[in-house]
Amino acid sequence: MKHYKFKNGLVLLYERNTYSNLDSFQINVNTGSLLEKKGQYGINHLVEHLIFKSTKTRTTQEISTELEITGANINAWTNYTNVRFYFDALPQYVEKCAEIYADMMFNKSIKQTEFDMEKDVVCQEIAMYKDRPDIINEENWWNQFYEWKPVVGTAKS
């Protein structure tokens, strides 16, 4: 596995998967719900969603279409200690996917309508998680060691 750590704390991992002819690309941002302040719970989760929205050079639809064409498995998640953006792709599409991810990370241009829409999506996820005993148990476990800071946030925050 190739491991790159940038001055700003951004960690890039690159690994050739010799088992399935896929490459895995991950960007780990060392921030998570444990670092959020009261009243801002869930901000990392919301930013995770917003990263996939428009940039200065691409619309949200163009990002989605260009990534879909590669056939890559693309996603992100937020937890207590970091936010991870990743994709698994055939080797011939890694450079294209990485270029799109770099654009998504460093050339944001989020429209108010996109912000409002993703805020609603996150609020729907929060409501959905209330029906997930595994998530409730995990948050209760973390609460034993840290002040409770919900990963997905609260509808109010």
Side-chain angles (χ1 to χ4, degrees):
M1 177 180 295
K2 294 183 181 178
H3 179 269
Y4 302 94
K5 185 168 184 178
F6 296 89
K7 291 178 185 176
N8 64 2
L10 191 71
V11 176
L12 171 68
L13 303 173
Y14 176 81
E15 180 176 24
R16 174 63 194 244
N17 183 340
T18 58
Y19 301 107
S20 67
N21 196 35
L22 289 175
D23 288 346
S24 179
F25 181 98
Q26 301 176 14
I27 300 172
N28 294 291
V29 183
N30 292 326
T31 186
S33 66
L34 290 177
L35 300 174
E36 294 172 345
K37 296 177 181 165
K38 192 171 188 169
Q40 295 180 340
Y41 296 151
I43 192 69
N44 288 297
H45 182 222
L46 179 59
V47 169
E48 170 213 316
H49 280 245
L50 292 171
I51 288 294
F52 290 91
K53 298 301 177 188
S54 60
T55 70
K56 295 173 186 170
T57 59
R58 289 177 171 94
T59 66
T60 300
Q61 183 61 49
E62 287 170 335
I63 291 169
S64 178
T65 300
E66 287 183 49
L67 288 171
E68 188 174 308
I69 287 170
T70 69
N73 174 34
I74 296 151
N75 213 332
W77 53 259
T78 303
N79 70 14
Y80 294 95
T81 59
N82 67 15
V83 179
R84 179 173 295 168
F85 301 90
Y86 66 90
F87 64 80
D88 301 315
L90 292 169
Q92 63 265 33
Y93 295 116
V94 168
E95 188 174 331
K96 179 64 175 176
C97 290
E99 185 271 320
I100 295 168
Y101 263 52
D103 186 36
M104 290 171 13
M105 295 285 167
F106 300 112
N107 293 312
K108 290 314 310 163
S109 179
I110 301 165
K111 297 172 181 63
Q112 185 66 45
T113 54
E114 293 174 325
F115 178 86
D116 294 340
M117 183 177 71
E118 284 309 308
K119 188 173 70 169
D120 289 344
V121 168
V122 169
C123 286
Q124 290 172 7
E125 285 183 9
I126 291 167
M128 179 184 70
Y129 290 153
K130 290 179 181 177
D131 291 333
R132 296 270 315 267
D134 57 321
I135 292 173
I136 293 167
N137 285 339
E138 181 181 357
E139 287 186 345
N140 288 336
W141 184 87
W142 277 93
N143 192 31
Q144 300 299 310
F145 302 99
Y146 304 100
E147 178 186 334
W148 183 68
K149 297 179 179 185
V151 172
V152 296
T154 64
K156 184 178 179 183
S157 64

